[in-house]
Amino acid sequence: MSDIVQVAMRGSRKEFYLNSRNLWLHLRDKVVVQVEHGESMGDVFLKDPYRVSLKRPGNVSREIIRKATEEDLDQ
């Protein structure tokens, strides 16, 4: 089973994503995630499995694609 991670997006929006690629993530890491129309960048906000389960994320189908690279950050 993949880890579920909460990612803080632009503004105050936070969404849950699958870490199906088993990336080594820390809090506040910049990541590129799958969104409805392509990709977007956000910060890892919550990754502790117990705390994520308390938020009851439901059926999570979108994934973390990768950690943000320098090119991603420049854009």
Side-chain angles (χ1 to χ4, degrees), residues 15-63:
E15 296 184 23
F16 291 99
Y17 292 90
L18 292 173
N19 182 13
S20 59
R21 293 180 171 97
N22 295 317
L23 300 172
W24 191 265
L25 299 173
H26 295 86
L27 293 179
R28 294 184 293 280
D29 278 351
K30 300 275 188 204
V31 291
V32 176
V33 296
Q34 176 185 38
V35 293
E36 191 172 325
H37 299 289
E39 300 176 352
S40 185
M41 193 164 52
D43 300 318
V44 174
F45 184 76
L46 186 64
K47 63 178 235 118
D48 177 46
Y50 176 72
R51 289 188 177 185
V52 168
S53 69
L54 289 176
K55 298 233 179 209
R56 296 185 178 142
N59 187 18
V60 179
S61 60
R62 295 186 182 178
E63 298 182 10

